[in-house]
Amino acid sequence: MRNANGYGVIIGPGGVVEEIDTFTCCHCNGIVHVHAGMKPDELGSWCTLCGQMHCAKLTCRTCFPFEKRMERAEAVYRAKKS
Amino acid sequence: MANYSVSNLGAATPAQANLTTSYNTLIETHAVTTPRRLAWYEFEFGIDANPGNTDCSISWDISRTTGAGTAGSAATPNPLDPADGAAATVAGINHPNGTPPTYTASSNLWSLGVNQRASYRWIARDDKSALWVPATSNAGLGIRAKQASGAYASTAVATVYFQEQ
């Protein structure tokens, strides 16, 4: 995967090493493993608004950037605290 | 922005709980009084006892939490740069079975089943790729594991690296 967002490595029995590229969903912040040969629609899709990959969850097909989710949670927290 | 690490061995007497057929939390991080955004940018885990005689897999999961539960021990996050101050984030480790943090349903950010003899490491490329927690009280992340068949019923070790903003 070009420009992978992350890197995972499984060191299995007998020292077998499996390296995996990952990306982080721009909508839910979940990690997706990208195995060689995976079909693109198994991974998710490209969000043209965020300019990043999102995962294949149904709820992530609608653009709601994770940054905005955090800002909303923090605004609610500040409002309740004040 | 300071970086910290926390391990479920990071206490004077870490009382590791054995894995069971239901999830057992190894590390949970959250903030209470002065919450800051925190991001897990690296984690690793594996078992630290003799593998079970019957080959089996262990299910690992990272999910969002809204309550700390009752940890076996409190662990002070270790600043990776000694010049950094103490973290605002609180870590709980080795939750005894039956007193887990409050996990948000269907909030798992990552889950994987790996052989009991395997270990795993994940590293984010940059802060945009990390696992973020908003700066709200008690919001956090937890890493937990279970062994569905009961063939491996001993302990595991996990380490998390996170950044506070």
Side-chain angles (χ1 to χ4, degrees):
Chain A
M1 180 184 185
R2 291 177 64 188
N3 300 320
N5 281 174
Y7 167 79
V9 58
I10 300 171
I11 303 167
V16 177
V17 176
E18 182 182 357
E19 297 177 312
I20 310 154
D21 286 337
T22 68
F23 71 85
T24 307
C25 175
C26 60
H27 295 160
C28 73
N29 202 215
I31 299 170
V32 179
H33 283 184
V34 183
H35 296 282
M38 278 181 83
K39 295 177 184 172
D41 55 354
E42 290 174 346
L43 296 172
S45 188
W46 180 261
C47 178
T48 53
L49 299 176
C50 296
Q52 296 178 59
M53 287 291 291
H54 67 78
C55 72
K57 283 181 202 161
L58 190 60
T59 51
C60 289
R61 292 182 187 172
T62 306
C63 181
F64 188 178
F66 187 72
E67 176 73 26
K68 292 291 179 191
R69 289 177 198 264
M70 287 206 296
E71 287 174 3
R72 189 176 68 171
E74 288 163 358
V76 169
Y77 170 70
R78 283 194 299 269
K80 284 182 178 175
K81 196 177 177 187
S82 60
Chain B
M1 294 186 293
N3 297 331
Y4 301 88
S5 71
V6 62
S7 161
N8 71 324
L9 298 179
T13 54
Q16 293 171 272
N18 290 339
L19 299 191
T20 64
T21 54
S22 56
Y23 275 119
N24 178 21
T25 300
L26 282 80
I27 300 173
E28 187 272 338
T29 59
H30 67 282
V32 182
T33 50
T34 54
R36 291 180 185 171
R37 284 189 180 183
L38 74 100
W40 285 18
Y41 64 87
E42 180 176 342
F43 59 85
E44 51 216 20
F45 57 72
I47 64 168
D48 66 340
N50 291 334
N53 292 330
T54 305
D55 207 12
C56 62
S57 66
I58 296 174
S59 302
W60 296 83
D61 177 83
I62 293 177
S63 293
R64 295 194 178 280
T65 59
T66 56
T70 304
S73 312
T76 305
N78 177 38
L80 300 188
D81 182 346
D84 286 329
T89 301
V90 178
I93 58 173
N94 300 321
H95 290 65
N97 298 321
T99 60
T102 308
Y103 283 96
T104 306
S106 304
S107 70
N108 63 310
L109 301 177
W110 171 94
S111 54
L112 183 70
V114 292
N115 188 280
Q116 60 172 343
R117 296 168 188 267
S119 58
Y120 180 87
R121 183 184 188 198
W122 176 81
I123 309 165
R125 182 185 66 188
D126 53 26
D127 58 350
K128 282 186 177 178
S129 314
L131 304 178
W132 282 95
V133 175
T136 61
S137 184
N138 285 319
L141 291 171
I143 182 167
R144 54 187 178 166
K146 68 177 178 180
Q147 205 291 300
S149 71
Y152 181 76
S154 194
T155 54
V157 173
T159 304
V160 167
Y161 296 83
F162 67 90
Q163 181 179 80
E164 276 188 348
Q165 289 203 332

